[in-house]
Each structure stands twice: as C-alpha cells, then as structure tokens.
Amino acid sequence: MTAYLVTILILVCIAIILGLALNLQWGLCGMVNFGMAGFFALGAYAAALVALSGAGTLAGIVVAALICAATCGATALVSLRLSDEYLAILTLGFGEVIRLVTLSESWLTGGSLGLPGIPRPLWGWVSEQNYELLFLALLVVVVLALFLVLEVLIRSPFGRAVRAVREDDTVASTLGKNVTMLRVKAFAVGGAIIGIAGAFHAYYLTYVDPSQFSAIITAYTFMAVIAGGRGSNKGLLFGAATIMCLIEGSRFLKDIVQVLDATQLASIRLILIGLGLILFLIYRPQGFLLEYRLRSSSLLARSSLNGATRMHDFKQEAS
Amino acid sequence: MLHIENVGKSFGALTVLRGINLEAAAGRITGIIGPNGAGKSTLLNVVGGLFPNDTGRILLDGTDVTPLPMHERARCGLVRTFQISRELGELTVLENLMLARQAQTGEAVLGALLRPGSVAREERAAVLEAKGLLDNVGLWRLADQSARALSGGQKKLLELSRALMLKPKIILLDEPAAGVSPPMRLEISKVIRGLCQDGMTFVIVEHDMDMIASLCDQVYVMAEGKNLTSGTFGEVVADDRVVRAYLGGVA
Ligand SMILES: Nc1ncnc2c1ncn2[C@@H]1O[C@H](COP(=O)(O)OP(=O)(O)OP(=O)(O)O)[C@@H](O)[C@H]1O
Ligand SMILES: [Mg+2]
C-alpha cells in the first residue's frame, strides 16, 4: 500500500510540474499549448538518450530542459505573426510530429519498443526497496524549487508584463513592452519546465515508449490548471492532486462495483472524470484559488517598515 | 515636437488617410476634430504604430520614428490612449500603472530571479510614483481594485495616469471625454490643463467642442481622411467648410 501511495505521489509531482509549465504559458501568458504531450515526450526522450549515453542523469535533465525551451520558444516565435488560434494548431501539430518521430525513427528512439534501461538519479544511495521513496523526495524538492522560482517570476515585473500581454497585447506594446519577446520567453521557460517533467518521467519508469505520451496528458494538464484556478500555482497543487487522485483512485472502482467488467469500468472511469470536472466548473468556475494580485499595502508597508528600521539603527548608532 | 508629414493609409480598397500633415508644438495642446469616420482614430493608430502607414513619415523631436514598432515608439516617449478605454481588466488599478514603468530590472526573467534587491527597490519607487499619479486623479483609494471594476470616467483617468507613468514626451488622447458625465469632463480637462502647465505635450481627438475650445492652442480639422483646415478654435469654427463637413459632404 505504501508503495502504491509513493507511486501516486510521484505521478502527482510530475503532473504538478507539467501544470506549473502550462500555468505560465496559458494561465499567465494566455498562450494555449495543445502539444504538452509532445513536448513532454521530447523531454523524456532527450533525457533518456543523454542518460543512456552515460553522460549522467543531471546532464539529461539539463539537456531536456534546454531542448524543450528551444523548441517551445521557436514554436512561439513562428506563430507570432499569426493569430492565437494558430498557436493551438501549431502546438497540436508539433505534438503529433513528435509522436510520429518517436514511432518511426527507430534508430534513435527504438520505435514502438522504446528505450529501456534508462539509468536513475541517485541510484545506489539507498537500498533498492527504499529507492522510490528517495526518488519521491528528490521530486518533491524539484517541485518546491520550481514552485518558488515561478512564484518569484509571477510577482515580478516580468509576471505583470506577461499578464498584461494576455489581457491586451496592443495595450502592452503601447506601454513599451516587447510583446514578441515576452511571449517567446514565457513559452520557452514553460518549455524548460515541461522538459524537466519529461526527464523525471523517463527516470522514474526507466523506459520510454510512444504509448506513454498520448494526447490525454495534455487534457489532464489543462484540467489540473483549470481546476486549480488559472494563473494560481498554489491552486494548481490542489488541482493536479485532485485530478491525479481521481484518475488513479477510480481504478479501485472495479473492487467496489462488481456488476461491470474491467473494460466497461475503464470507459466509465473517463466519463466520470469528465463529469466531475464539468460539475466542478459549474459550481466553482474560477477554480480552487485566484491568480496573484499585487496589494499596494504590501509594498508601501515594507517601505515604511524599512524607514522605521533605518531610523532605529540610526538612533542606536547615535547613542 | 511631433511632425506628421503627408501620412496616408488604406485598408484594402478603402483609403482612410490621404496625406495628413500635422504639427504638435512642445508644451501645447493640439486638437483634432472632424466628423465621424474622418480618420482621426486611424491617424492616432498609425502614429502610435498599430498600423504601418503607406505614405509619409512621422517625426518625434526630429527623429524619424516611422520604421519603429509600437513598443519602441513608446520607449521614445510617444504614448497614446484609446477611444474605447482599454484598461487591463484582470490587473489592479495600481498594477496597470506600475506596468508602464520603463527599463525595469525585473522585466527580464534573469533579472527578476537573480536581482531581487534591485527589483524590490524599483518596485517601491514605482509604487510611490503611481500613488502620486493616482492621488492626483482621486483613484488611489481604488488602487487594489481590478481595473475592470472602474466606471467609464474612472477608466479614462486611469488610462491617462498610466500614460503619464511612462514619462512620455507627448500623449495622444483619443476622445478622453467620450461617454463621460459633464462634471467628470471638467475634471479630466482640469487634469490635462494642469499637466500641460507642467510642460507635457498633448494631441487630443475630441467631439466635445467645449473641451477643445477651452484646452487647445491649435486645432486641426479632418474630413474624409484629409486636412480641411487648421488654426485657433475660433478661426476654424468660423470657416464654413468646417460647418459643411460636419453636416455631411466635403467642400
Ligand atoms: N482596421 C480597419 N480596417 C478597415 N477599415 C478601418 C479600420 N480602422 C478604421 N477603418 C475605417 O476607417 C474610417 C475612419 O475610421 P476612424 O475610426 O479613424 O474614424 P474617426 O475619425 O476616429 O471617427 P469617430 O469620430 O467616429 O471616432 C472608417 O470608415 C473605418 O471604417
Ligand atoms: Mg475615432
């Protein structure tokens, strides 16, 4: 049972990383990414190939992040002169291209058999039966680090500019913002995060094959972001956990409902998940939490507080 | 300050601007009037850089800004507002203003992540400046509201304050009084006049003749995409071509 729990938590963590990426790209910047699954696969294969070549798992993560950042950035750049809908089509097409490449370029990707025997990070640090726990701990650290980095970004002038681009790109440029660069940067940073998710996915399973990257991953990630509240990373933590628990938890339906067989339940499961999301959106359309907003008091209070401490120091020096 | 030379613009077969010339003097308020569809908003769009112009050029302080994209024109000190207010609704009033600060360390990804000290210092400076501007138009108490929640008149004031936050050389206002109650119009006029006395340059497109009469040193009249005439408000309203243009048909 603990093993199962650890597995679910690892899946939740990977879903959270994907969600964080989409929340930056789509939640904050308003750029849809229907190619999540494709970029995820790209990251996983890149990390797998690097790790298999013996360059190390850390190098795999870095390369996966860089490759995904570059392709996401390039995709955003190509679609910029076109309207928003084209980005949707472009990313969708890109996902499909990646899937086909992984299937057919067997010299590189192993085709439908995939790439087995991918090395794992920190392998050998603990006994084999405790390894998954260590992997989970590592993943939690990564999630926390990414979460903090993104929270800083969201609250920064960069985050503000990106939200402005989402609201009205014309206004953003009349205020001196380079909309093109902001879009490309937001999409590329999101891409790097997807790459990291892909790397951990590959390391966790120790093998990658095309069937792991079906388009449903894109759908689940959108669900997690929508349920969490578009733009809110804290909400996303709940959103991703809820969606993954629904998906994984509903596997137990077969133990409770005896009248239906496994295949029938498998289809009903998806219907139930969809139904759950629809009900959720009807009763809480804004998601769990709202996007960050600057409070004037936070900045003003801090500046007057600084004034007070400075005065305090000054008095101490004088006495 | 701003020279518009022979600017022309067509949308497909529809020619909207046919060689407009205009000069806005520094520290003055220049008015543009003309009947609906004369091309006034299109002129501001072209000057702001939203659409490229087909002919002519636009000079700001002697520099040709015609090849520059919108955001670079803004960085040169050319900023405009919109006929229908375009507040950034999901951002707060304060965030709308803070956004307009230029050259912020935290606007680059690495700057935001690696230089938190500079970012915090700049943010505090920005909030104090924004507070000054919002106090000036009585919107500070709404600083933490979504900009969407403002009234029509308040949105006009917000757009004006946001433009000022950019520290521009010249502000182009497209119908600052449209859809605004008479007392609020007086308020907006007062704010504009005050800013002009502090040395700001304005170009104002407006249908409210009282506002044009009270604010503008020089008034240009446009009709069917052409300059009809220009002069002081008194001079242009005395011109019967202007009256005829407003009643329909160009002289
Ligand atoms: N993007 C566009 N595409 C096609 N035609 C346009 C576009 N923008 C403006 N026009 C046309 O240009 C003409 C002038 O429009 P414009 O908005 O500049 O007029 P205006 O002088 O500002 O009028 P108003 O006083 O009603 O605001 C109109 O006939 C309009 O249909
Ligand atoms: Mg107009």
Side-chain angles (χ1 to χ4, degrees):
Chain A
M1 191 60 209
T2 354
Y4 188 66
L5 197 66
V6 170
T7 305
I8 289 205
L9 285 176
I10 287 173
L11 294 178
V12 167
C13 282
I14 292 175
I16 287 175
I17 300 179
L18 283 177
L20 288 172
L22 186 64
N23 213 12
L24 175 63
Q25 295 181 329
W26 178 65
L28 283 168
C29 199
M31 304 174 77
V32 290
N33 184 354
F34 285 150
M36 288 298 293
F39 292 113
F40 185 48
L42 185 65
Y45 273 88
L49 287 168
V50 171
L52 280 170
S53 78
T57 47
L58 182 64
I61 295 172
V62 172
V63 170
L66 289 179
I67 286 186
C68 288
T71 37
C72 272
T75 312
L77 198 60
V78 170
S79 72
L80 275 176
R81 303 238 167 263
L82 311 166
S83 70
D84 295 348
E85 293 76 28
Y86 283 90
L87 184 65
I89 296 169
L90 211 67
T91 51
L92 196 65
F94 183 83
E96 196 55 21
V97 167
I98 289 291
R99 201 182 63 80
L100 289 175
V101 167
T102 55
L103 257 178
S104 52
E105 299 300 311
S106 2
W107 60 274
L108 184 68
T109 63
S112 56
L113 295 177
L115 299 168
I118 302 166
R120 298 177 131 186
L122 312 186
W123 184 248
W125 279 34
V126 292
S127 64
E128 223 166 290
Q129 59 266 39
N130 284 334
Y131 178 78
E132 299 226 330
L133 215 56
L134 177 68
F135 191 89
L136 176 61
L138 177 65
L139 206 47
V140 168
V141 170
V142 171
V143 167
L144 277 180
L146 287 175
F147 181 83
L148 288 178
V149 163
L150 286 169
E151 283 298 287
V152 170
L153 265 191
I154 287 174
R155 287 166 163 69
S156 73
F158 174 78
R160 187 155 60 221
V162 161
R163 283 159 65 216
V165 168
R166 176 193 68 197
E167 293 292 298
D168 190 332
D169 54 354
T170 303
V171 169
S173 37
T174 62
L175 298 177
K177 306 300 158 204
N178 188 339
V179 171
T180 311
M181 282 315 296
L182 284 167
R183 284 213 170 108
V184 169
K185 281 184 195 168
F187 217 64
V189 173
I193 298 170
I194 301 173
I196 294 173
F200 277 97
H201 170 89
Y203 295 156
Y204 176 60
L205 293 182
T206 69
Y207 71 97
V208 285
D209 73 53
S211 71
Q212 297 164 358
F213 306 99
S214 69
I216 196 80
I217 292 176
T218 307
Y220 286 156
T221 311
F222 270 91
M223 283 185 204
V225 171
I226 293 170
R230 201 179 155 180
S232 164
N233 281 340
K234 235 181 256 153
L236 173 80
L237 299 182
F238 296 110
T242 311
I243 298 291
M244 281 319 280
C245 290
L246 269 181
I247 294 167
E248 290 300 320
S250 56
R251 284 190 207 283
F252 292 113
L253 272 179
K254 68 174 188 300
D255 304 332
I256 304 162
V257 189
Q258 310 274 334
V259 272
L260 298 168
D261 66 43
T263 37
Q264 283 170 322
L265 270 174
S267 346
I268 288 179
R269 234 182 70 195
L270 284 181
I271 296 175
L272 284 179
I273 293 167
L275 214 67
L277 190 75
I278 291 170
L279 285 176
F280 181 82
L281 287 181
I282 289 173
Y283 289 106
R284 203 168 164 79
Q286 72 276 39
F288 283 122
L289 291 171
L290 295 179
E291 140 179 320
Y292 161 80
R293 282 202 183 147
L294 178 71
R295 295 272 150 241
S296 57
S297 52
S298 69
L299 278 171
L300 285 178
R302 213 185 305 149
S303 62
S304 56
L305 200 76
N306 278 4
T309 40
R310 236 175 280 133
M311 189 59 99
H312 182 73
D313 295 345
F314 178 74
K315 273 184 197 151
Q316 277 192 330
E317 258 168 52
S319 66
Chain B
M1 170 70 67
L2 179 71
H3 292 261
I4 297 174
E5 284 178 9
N6 191 33
V7 163
K9 176 72 197 168
S10 304
F11 294 105
L14 179 69
T15 304
V16 178
L17 299 176
R18 306 160 196 265
I20 295 287
N21 292 291
L22 187 145
E23 189 167 342
R28 296 294 172 85
I29 303 176
T30 306
I32 303 177
I33 60 173
N36 292 117
K40 307 178 297 292
S41 296
T42 305
L43 181 65
L44 290 203
N45 286 337
V46 166
V47 172
L50 185 58
F51 308 128
N53 44 325
D54 304 333
T55 65
R57 54 186 200 148
I58 299 145
L59 302 174
L60 183 68
D61 265 347
T63 328
D64 190 353
V65 297
T66 328
L68 299 183
M70 237 190 309
H71 67 272
E72 283 180 26
R73 291 190 200 189
R75 288 174 189 178
C76 289
L78 181 80
V79 61
R80 52 85 55 98
T81 66
F82 293 87
Q83 180 166 356
I84 297 164
S85 298
R86 287 174 86 162
E87 76 289 349
L88 299 160
E90 287 290 308
L91 273 63
T92 67
V93 169
L94 178 61
E95 284 175 325
N96 264 269
L97 260 74
M98 307 245 309
L99 180 72
R101 279 277 276 210
Q102 297 303 297
Q104 298 292 288
T105 312
E107 219 162 81
V109 174
L110 289 181
L113 293 177
L114 303 179
R115 299 177 60 193
S118 317
V119 174
R121 213 172 318 116
E122 286 173 3
E123 288 285 274
R124 278 196 292 273
V127 87
L128 289 177
E129 188 176 328
K131 182 173 190 303
L133 289 170
L134 287 174
D135 272 335
N136 193 31
V137 294
L139 288 181
W140 175 247
R141 66 192 168 83
L142 300 172
D144 291 340
Q145 296 277 320
S146 301
R148 172 164 302 131
L150 297 185
S151 76
Q154 287 169 335
K155 284 178 184 173
K156 292 279 178 191
L157 287 172
L158 172 68
E159 271 202 75
L160 179 58
S161 312
R162 191 172 66 187
L164 286 167
M165 188 79 182
L166 201 113
K167 296 204 165 65
K169 290 181 186 156
I170 183 167
I171 303 180
L172 318 175
L173 298 172
D174 198 350
E175 304 203 15
V180 171
S181 71
M184 185 63 106
R185 282 181 198 197
L186 289 181
E187 167 72 22
I188 292 175
S189 289
K190 204 178 81 192
V191 171
I192 294 172
R193 195 175 299 114
L195 291 166
C196 179
Q197 275 157 8
D198 296 340
M200 187 55 70
T201 309
F202 285 96
V203 171
I204 301 184
V205 170
E206 189 46 72
H207 285 297
D208 180 344
M209 290 305 156
D210 293 336
M211 192 172 201
I212 291 285
S214 74
L215 286 178
C216 297
D217 306 293
Q218 175 87 357
V219 179
Y220 284 80
V221 186
M222 278 176 67
E224 297 188 354
K226 283 185 293 212
N227 287 91
L228 200 57
T229 177
S230 68
T232 62
F233 183 75
E235 283 163 13
V236 299
V237 285
D239 194 325
D240 22 297
R241 283 179 304 170
V242 176
V243 180
R244 258 178 283 148
Y246 266 93
L247 295 177
V250 186

